Amino acid sequence: MEVNQMQRSFLEYANVLFREGFLDGQFSQLQMLADESNPDFVVEVVSLFFEDSQKLLNDLTTTLDQQNVDFKKIDAHIHQLKGSSSSIGAQRVKNACIAFRNFCDQQNVEGLSFGSSITFAFLFQLEQQIVAAGGAIPILSEFS
Amino acid sequence: MLPNFSSAEKSQGDFSNFVRKEEKSTSLLRPLTEPCCVVSYRMELCNCIEPPWPADELLMKYQYISDFFIALAYFSIPLELIYFVKKSAVFPYRWVLVQFGAFIVLCGATHLINLWTFTLHTRTVAIVMTCAKILTAAVSCATALMLVHIIPDLLSVKTREIRLKNKAAELDREMGLIRTQEETGRHVRMLTHEIRSTLDRHTILKTTLVELGSTLGLEECALWMPTRTGLELQLSYTLHHQNPVGFTVPTQLPVISQVFNTNRAVKISPSSPVARLRPTGKYMPGEVVAVRVPLLHLSDFHIHDWPELSTKRYALMVLMLPSDSARQWHVHELELVEVVADQVAVALSHAAILEESMKARDLLMEQNVALDHARREAETAVRARNDFLAVMNHEMRTPMHAIIALSSLLLETDLSPEQRLMVETILKSSNLLATLINDVLDLSRLEDGSLQLETGTFSLHALFREALNLIRPIASVKKLYITMSLSPDLPQYAIGDEKRLMQIILNVVGNAVKFSKEGGVSVSAFVANPDSLRDPQTPDFFPIPSDNHFYMRVEVKDTGSGINPQDIPKLFMKFVHSQPHATKNSDGSGLGLAICKRFVNLMEGQICIESEGLGKGSTAIFIVKLGIPGRSNEPKLSFVHKGTKNQVKPNFSGLKVVLLDDNSVGRMVTKGLLVHIGCDVLAVSSGDECIRVVTHEHKVVFLDVSMPGVDSFEVALKIQEKFSKRVDRPLLVALTGNNDRMTKENCRRVGMKGVILKPVSLDKMRTALSDILEHGYLVESQ
C-alpha cells in the first residue's frame, strides 16, 4: 500500500514534469558553445550523456535486482545521473532523479525501480526528441 | 451683785462673815473691785481676787460645767476645722480660717480661764483673764467685721453652685438631645447604606421598608407606586403583608395631594384610604405619617440643571406607629423619614440608570460580536479570494502561455489556408483569454491596493507612437482615421509606469475605435495647466504641479455612437456594458474602463468621458501625474541598458586551468565552456591525478565539490601544500550544485577563492573567471 501511494505521488510528479519542457536553459548554453573549432560539440556531449545515463540506469537496475541491495551505490548512481543531466540541461531527467532519490533514502526497492523506469522513459523520450529534431533543435525560450 | 464667797473665805473665819455683814449694806454701791480692795487689806498677803458673784452652789456648779464644755468645744472646733481643711484640697479663705481659729481659741481660752474665776483666784489669773477677754474682744470684732465681707461671698458661692447645677442639668438635657440626633443620624446612615448597597429596585424598596420598620418600631409600613397612567397609586410593597393584592387609590385624593405638595413628612389620619391597611379592630390606631418619594427619570437629568421636579411622578410611603401605644411622632423621627425618602429616590434613580446602561452595554456587546464575526467572515472571504486568485494566476497563465506559444509556433509551419485560419482563431481567442485573465487579476490586485506602479523613465513620444501603431491596423480595417497631436511643451521623457500608461491609452483609444463606425479618432496630449485642470465634474480635484512633476492631459475624441448622458456614471463600473444590446463586435469583459480608472487614480489623476448624446460622438479625457526626469529623485534610466554591459570580452586565451570532475558529461560540458572562452583546459577525473598534474603554470583549478567518492577539500589542501610559494599557487574555485552556507564555509576554510553554482552558463563562467583573475577572489559567489 505504501508503495502504491508513493508510486502515485511519483506519477503525479512525473505529470508535472511532463508539462515542463524536456530541456532547460542549460541546453541553450551548450549550443552556444558549438563554434567553428568545435562544431559537433553538442552532438558529442549529448551522445556521451545518453551512453552514460543508459549505463547508469542499467547498473541501477542490476543493483536493485540483487538480494542485498547496496543503497549507497544506488545513491551514487543517482547522484551521477543527476549531475550529468543537469550539466546538459535535461530538465526532466534531472528532476526525476531528485524525486526518486527520496526512495533511496527510504531504502524502498520497489519505489526505486519504479522511479528508475520512469527516468528511463524520460531519457528515451529525450533521445527520440533530439534524434527527431535532427540534432539541430532551435533555441527554445522558456515558458514563464 | 454681791460677790460670791467660796468656802475659801470660810477659812478666813469670822472675819469674812464679819466683812460680809458689814458690807451688806454698802456692797451694792461699791464697784466690783471694791470688795477686792476691801478684802485686799486682808488679802494683800496672798494677792488673791475674789470672784464677784454669789456662791450659789448648784447654779455655780452648772455654770462651771458649762464653761468647761464650752471651752472644750471651743478648742475642738479649730482642730476640726484644721483637720477638715487639711483634708480638702481647696479652701480659699485661709486667713479667714486663722482669724476664726484665733477667735475660737481665744473664746475657749476665755471660758477656760473663767473656770478659775469661780473661786478665789490670784491677781495673775485675773490679769490673764482680762487679757484674754480683751484679745477675744478684738478678734471677735475683727471677725465680725470680716464676716460682713465673707458671708455675701459665701452666699454667692451658693448661688453660683445652684446656677452651675442648673447649667449642668441643661447641658445634660442637650446632651441627651444630641445623642438622640446622633442615633437618628446613625440610623439614617445605616438605612442609606442598606438601601444603597443594592441596585435592584425591589430590594431597595423592600429594604427601606424593613429597615424603617425596625428602626422606628413601626407597626406597618407601605409603599404605593404610581401606575403607568399615573392616575392611580397601587399598593406595591408592605412590611407585613407578603403579597399585597392590587389595592389602588386614585392619585387625586386630597390627602395624597397634600402629601405630594410638600417634601416634608405629613401626619395623616389613620382612617384615610392609604392608611387602612390592616384589619380594623384595634382600639387606638397609632399615628400615621406619609411622605412622598420622587421617582426620577433619566430625562429629568438635564445637562446643566439638577433634575427638575416639575414632571411629577411620586410614590407614597406610609408609616404607621404601633396602635395602642402612646407613642407619638417625634420631630427627629419625621426628619429621619424625610431623609430616607430622599435617599430612596436617589437609589431608585441609580438603579434605573444602571438598568439602562446595562441594557445599552449588552446591546453594544452584541453588536460588537456581530461586527467581529462579520469582519472575520469578510477577512476569510478576502483571504479565500486572494488564495484562489493566486492559485488561478499561475494555473491559468501556464496553459494559456503554452497555447499561445504553440499556436504561434504552429503558424510558422506549413499550413493549408483553412488550417491557418483555424490556428489564427485559436491564437486570437487565447490572446483574448489571456488578456481577460490578466485584467481580472490586475483588477483584484488594484482593489486590494496591492498593486504598485513601476516607475521608470520612458519616452512619451515613443509610447504614444507604439500605442497608436497597435491600434492603427484595427482602425484601418474599420476605415477609421487616427490622428495624434502631442503638444510641444510636453517633455521628451517622463517618469512613470510606462506599461500601465500604455494600457490606459490602449484601452481608451481602443474603446474609441470600437464604438466608432465611421469617421475617426483624434488623440491629443498636452501639459495641463492649473486652470484647465479644474474639471467641473470633479470639483474636488486640485492638482498642483511642482518642480518634479507635471500633469499630462490626454483627450481622445471620437466620432462614434456617443453615449447616453444617463449611462455615463456607469461607464467606469465593473462588468457593466454601456450598450445592453451589444453588437457582435463588442467583446471584452467590461473591465477595461474600470481598470483604467484605477490606474489613473493610482497615478493621482482623473479620467472622465463626455458625450453630447447618442450619435454625437464622445470624448475621453484623462489627466495623469508624471515625473520630470533630470530633477532630483531620478530613478535609474531603464532604456539605457543592455548594450553597454559586456562590450569588452575579457581575453582568456591560453589561460592554463585544471578541471576536476568525475562526472564525464559534466566534465565535458565544463571543459567545453572553458575551451570556448579560450582557456587551455586539462580535465581530470580523480583527485590524485589532479594533485599530480597541477603545475605552477596553471592559474586556476576548478574542483567539483559535489563528488561523492572524492574529498575535494582534501585535494584542495594537498594542492596548497604542494606549492610552498604563494605566487606559484593556482587559484582554487569550487563548482557545486549546493548553494548552502555549509558548502561555502567549507570551501572558504580550505582556501578556495570562490564558489560557482552549477549549472554554469557562458556568461557566468566569463564573469567568474575575470573576477577571479582580477581580484584574486570571486567578488560575488554565484
Side-chain angles (χ1 to χ4, degrees):
Chain A
M1 190 134 46
E2 197 188 291
V3 175
N4 281 339
Q5 206 174 17
M6 272 199 271
Q7 285 177 353
R8 227 181 307 129
S9 57
F10 193 73
L11 255 179
E12 275 168 27
Y13 189 61
N15 280 333
V16 172
L17 295 180
F18 258 95
R19 280 194 259 131
E20 294 177 4
F22 288 111
L23 299 163
D24 61 19
Q26 181 64 6
F27 194 72
S28 334
Q29 292 286 326
L30 285 187
Q31 290 174 304
M32 285 201 262
L33 297 178
D35 52 20
E36 51 283 350
S37 56
N38 205 349
D40 298 323
F41 180 67
V42 178
V43 172
E44 282 172 17
V45 173
V46 167
S47 323
L48 183 58
F49 169 68
F50 281 125
E51 268 177 48
D52 230 14
S53 320
Q54 282 189 344
K55 196 161 74 69
L56 274 171
L57 279 172
N58 285 333
D59 281 345
L60 199 73
T61 323
T62 325
T63 321
L64 280 173
D65 282 339
Q66 287 172 0
Q67 282 288 61
N68 297 330
V69 181
D70 186 353
F71 288 102
K72 269 211 165 55
K73 206 151 146 220
I74 292 183
D75 194 50
H77 283 323
I78 299 176
H79 180 86
Q80 281 271 31
L81 188 56
K82 179 171 144 236
S84 315
S85 52
S86 81
S87 304
I88 203 177
Q91 199 181 232
R92 276 192 204 169
V93 178
K94 176 187 87 177
N95 288 338
C97 288
I98 297 173
F100 87 89
R101 202 174 180 178
N102 288 331
F103 291 145
C104 195
D105 294 335
Q106 291 151 9
Q107 306 206 334
N108 187 330
V109 175
E110 272 106 354
L112 283 171
S113 56
F114 180 68
S116 66
S117 44
I118 294 263
T119 315
F120 227 136
F122 282 153
L123 215 54
F124 188 67
Q125 269 183 334
L126 182 63
E127 207 175 340
Q128 292 282 308
Q129 273 264 315
I130 292 180
V131 164
I137 303 173
I139 299 177
L140 296 170
S141 55
E142 289 181 22
F143 296 137
S144 55
Chain B
M1 184 145 349
L2 292 175
N4 198 358
F5 292 106
S6 63
S7 54
E9 68 174 282
K10 285 229 170 115
S11 63
Q12 312 297 313
D14 310 316
F15 188 69
S16 51
N17 283 337
F18 168 70
V19 171
R20 223 188 322 178
K21 273 186 211 150
E22 198 178 346
E23 258 184 3
K24 245 189 199 166
S25 53
T26 56
S27 66
L28 284 165
L29 301 166
R30 279 184 214 150
L32 274 167
T33 50
E34 201 58 45
C36 296
C37 293
V38 168
V39 176
S40 70
Y41 173 72
R42 226 2 250 267
M43 280 181 200
E44 264 181 28
L45 302 170
C46 63
N47 214 12
C48 298
I49 298 175
E50 288 266 345
W53 41 84
D56 195 331
E57 296 278 334
L58 198 62
L59 283 174
M60 286 310 120
K61 241 191 216 129
Y62 280 134
Q63 279 191 4
Y64 189 81
I65 293 168
S66 312
D67 267 333
F68 177 70
F69 275 114
I70 288 171
L72 199 65
Y74 273 6
F75 278 131
S76 61
I77 287 176
L79 291 174
E80 285 172 17
L81 266 175
I82 290 171
Y83 172 70
F84 282 115
V85 164
K86 272 238 162 70
K87 251 186 104 175
S88 85
V90 166
F91 193 74
Y93 303 115
R94 262 188 208 282
W95 64 274
V96 166
L97 183 69
V98 166
Q99 202 173 350
F100 203 66
F103 165 64
I104 295 278
V105 163
L106 283 169
C107 280
T110 312
H111 281 280
L112 188 68
I113 294 172
N114 212 21
L115 290 175
W116 270 268
T117 58
F118 279 109
T119 54
L120 201 62
H121 50 274
T122 59
R123 192 179 178 78
T124 321
V125 172
I127 290 173
V128 167
M129 180 77 198
T130 315
C131 289
K133 276 207 173 143
I134 292 170
L135 275 172
T136 309
V139 171
S140 35
C141 285
T143 309
L145 283 170
M146 183 200 69
L147 277 177
V148 170
H149 295 292
I150 296 290
I151 289 179
D153 267 354
L154 286 176
L155 281 177
S156 77
V157 161
K158 206 64 193 171
T159 3
R160 247 183 278 156
E161 191 194 318
I162 292 175
R163 238 189 298 139
L164 278 171
K165 260 215 202 106
N166 287 342
K167 258 240 154 37
E170 210 179 289
L171 280 170
D172 269 337
R173 269 199 304 278
E174 277 184 19
M175 263 279 280
L177 216 67
I178 289 173
R179 269 216 205 94
T180 1
Q181 279 181 349
E182 204 224 325
E183 275 282 308
T184 314
R186 204 163 48 76
H187 277 299
V188 170
R189 269 196 299 282
M190 190 187 56
L191 258 167
T192 313
H193 175 74
E194 285 291 325
I195 292 171
R196 297 275 273 263
S197 65
T198 170
L199 282 168
D200 174 45
R201 190 170 239 256
H202 296 282
T203 322
I204 291 172
L205 293 168
K206 242 347 202 179
T207 315
T208 312
L209 297 182
V210 165
E211 291 298 325
L212 266 180
S214 69
T215 307
L216 297 172
L218 300 172
E219 175 171 357
E220 181 60 83
C221 192
L223 191 70
W224 299 75
M225 302 281 281
T227 54
R228 259 179 212 288
T229 55
L231 294 174
E232 289 188 323
L233 288 179
Q234 190 178 20
L235 181 62
S236 314
Y237 303 93
T238 56
L239 194 53
H240 293 301
H241 293 134
Q242 290 310 95
N243 291 318
V245 178
F247 285 127
T248 56
V249 290
T251 315
Q252 299 310 320
L253 278 183
V255 61
I256 295 179
S257 315
Q258 182 199 4
V259 176
F260 279 177
N261 278 338
T262 168
N263 62 351
R264 307 208 57 119
V266 176
K267 289 209 185 98
I268 61 174
S269 153
S271 56
S272 60
V274 289
R276 260 185 287 149
L277 287 178
R278 52 193 188 289
T280 50
K282 312 277 181 181
Y283 302 138
M284 270 291 300
E287 288 198 343
V288 182
V289 147
V291 69
R292 73 175 188 190
V293 180
L295 298 173
L296 302 166
H297 281 268
L298 278 175
S299 56
D300 291 340
F301 287 93
H302 304 290
I303 307 289
H304 297 298
D305 318 323
W306 286 109
E308 302 278 327
L309 296 181
S310 49
T311 57
K312 287 328 146 234
R313 266 166 59 90
Y314 295 114
L316 188 75
M317 194 153 58
V318 177
L319 306 137
M320 286 167 246
L321 286 179
S323 44
D324 294 341
S325 73
R327 266 185 65 185
Q328 292 218 317
W329 282 100
H330 297 143
V331 171
H332 70 270
E333 287 172 344
L334 292 180
E335 283 174 1
L336 180 84
V337 166
E338 284 158 21
V339 167
V340 168
D342 277 335
Q343 289 297 321
V344 165
V346 171
L348 283 176
S349 67
H350 281 184
I353 291 176
L354 183 76
E355 244 177 72
E356 290 284 329
S357 77
M358 296 276 289
K359 264 195 287 191
R361 191 191 67 148
D362 284 338
L363 197 64
L364 270 173
M365 273 180 61
E366 265 177 41
Q367 283 179 344
N368 255 2
V369 167
L371 273 171
D372 206 32
H373 190 65
R375 183 182 59 100
R376 261 183 282 125
E377 272 182 8
E379 273 178 9
T380 323
V382 165
R383 258 203 304 272
R385 189 197 65 173
N386 288 345
D387 287 341
F388 169 74
L389 283 175
V391 167
M392 292 312 282
N393 187 5
H394 186 258
E395 297 301 315
M396 287 199 289
R397 281 196 167 132
T398 316
M400 210 66 258
H401 288 156
I403 298 172
I404 292 176
L406 290 173
S407 320
S408 347
L409 272 180
L410 204 55
L411 277 180
E412 313 248 322
T413 60
D414 284 329
L415 299 168
S416 71
E418 297 90 23
Q419 285 175 324
R420 189 162 286 272
L421 198 61
M422 284 193 268
V423 175
E424 274 172 5
T425 316
I426 293 174
L427 193 57
K428 224 182 349 174
S429 313
S430 1
N431 270 330
L432 206 62
L433 193 59
T435 319
L436 185 65
I437 293 171
N438 283 339
D439 275 357
V440 169
L441 291 168
D442 265 350
L443 191 63
S444 65
R445 274 200 300 155
L446 276 171
E447 289 188 333
D448 278 347
S450 58
L451 190 82
Q452 277 167 337
L453 293 177
E454 299 157 15
T455 34
T457 312
F458 59 92
S459 156
L460 274 174
H461 288 256
L463 182 80
F464 277 99
R465 247 201 317 275
E466 202 178 318
L468 290 186
N469 282 342
L470 284 169
I471 305 272
R472 226 180 277 276
I474 308 172
S476 59
V477 159
K478 289 176 89 167
K479 303 226 184 345
L480 302 167
Y481 64 82
I482 297 194
T483 61
M484 177 173 83
S485 81
L486 298 178
S487 138
D489 58 359
L490 267 183
Q492 269 269 338
Y493 296 102
I495 300 175
D497 191 334
E498 180 184 9
K499 199 170 84 169
R500 295 319 173 355
L501 189 57
M502 166 79 93
Q503 223 171 325
I504 297 170
I505 298 172
L506 279 177
N507 217 302
V508 171
V509 178
N511 269 351
V513 166
K514 186 159 53 166
F515 290 108
S516 304
K517 294 212 183 79
E518 54 190 12
V521 176
S522 63
V523 179
S524 54
F526 43 89
V527 174
N529 54 40
D531 290 332
S532 69
L533 291 173
R534 223 53 69 80
D535 196 334
Q537 285 187 356
T538 54
D540 299 332
F541 184 55
F542 293 128
I544 302 165
S546 67
D547 273 344
N548 294 339
H549 299 105
F550 71 99
Y551 285 85
M552 175 175 78
R553 185 187 169 100
V554 177
E555 291 182 7
V556 178
K557 216 193 287 270
D558 71 58
T559 58
S561 44
I563 308 167
N564 200 334
Q566 292 164 339
D567 289 336
I568 290 186
K570 287 194 277 180
L571 278 173
F572 293 103
M573 281 165 54
K574 296 193 292 188
F575 307 120
V576 170
H577 277 278
S578 54
Q579 298 159 320
H581 48 282
T583 66
K584 61 175 187 284
N585 275 341
S586 74
D587 42 20
S589 58
L591 281 180
L593 278 179
I595 293 184
C596 272
K597 184 169 158 80
R598 280 180 177 70
F599 280 148
V600 168
N601 285 340
L602 270 178
M603 294 185 196
E604 297 179 49
Q606 290 278 318
I607 181 170
C608 67
I609 297 191
E610 295 167 349
S611 169
E612 287 171 34
L614 284 170
K616 300 209 178 88
S618 44
T619 313
I621 306 169
F622 67 88
I623 301 170
V624 290
K625 182 176 173 187
L626 297 169
I628 304 175
R631 308 270 200 263
S632 56
N633 297 342
E634 193 182 295
K636 277 217 298 221
L637 303 180
S638 61
F639 64 93
V640 176
H641 66 139
K642 281 172 197 151
T644 56
K645 229 204 293 197
N646 291 327
Q647 293 293 2
V648 179
K649 276 204 170 105
N651 196 4
F652 297 117
S653 56
L655 181 71
K656 277 184 172 262
V657 301
V658 174
L659 167 65
L660 170 59
D661 189 345
D662 65 344
N663 188 313
S664 43
V665 176
R667 197 169 56 239
M668 190 169 184
V669 171
T670 317
K671 180 173 173 179
L673 260 175
L674 290 166
V675 163
H676 189 81
I677 296 178
C679 302
D680 179 1
V681 186
L682 183 55
V684 295
S685 59
S686 78
D688 294 330
E689 204 185 330
C690 181
I691 298 168
R692 216 184 26 243
V693 301
V694 173
T695 66
H696 63 272
E697 286 179 343
H698 294 110
K699 295 282 178 273
V700 186
V701 176
F702 291 95
L703 303 165
D704 185 319
V705 299
S706 50
M707 300 183 283
V710 180
D711 187 357
S712 325
F713 300 120
E714 185 77 29
V715 172
L717 286 170
K718 289 237 171 68
I719 292 176
Q720 306 228 351
E721 280 168 28
K722 185 170 174 181
F723 297 94
S724 49
K725 277 197 279 201
R726 260 284 172 86
V727 75
D728 287 340
R729 251 184 240 164
L731 297 164
L732 301 170
V733 177
L735 294 167
T736 176
N738 295 338
N739 197 12
D740 61 345
R741 190 181 277 275
M742 259 281 272
T743 318
K744 284 195 197 154
E745 267 304 309
N746 288 338
C747 292
R748 208 185 318 234
R749 242 184 325 115
V750 294
M752 306 230 194
K753 296 294 183 227
V755 176
I756 300 181
L757 204 57
K758 293 210 294 195
V760 199
S761 69
L762 207 53
D763 284 331
K764 213 198 288 190
M765 185 56 92
R766 273 207 196 98
T767 325
L769 208 47
S770 60
D771 266 348
I772 280 265
L773 292 174
E774 206 177 305
H775 303 117
Y777 57 90
L778 263 180
V779 171
E780 192 181 288
S781 70
Q782 317 199 36

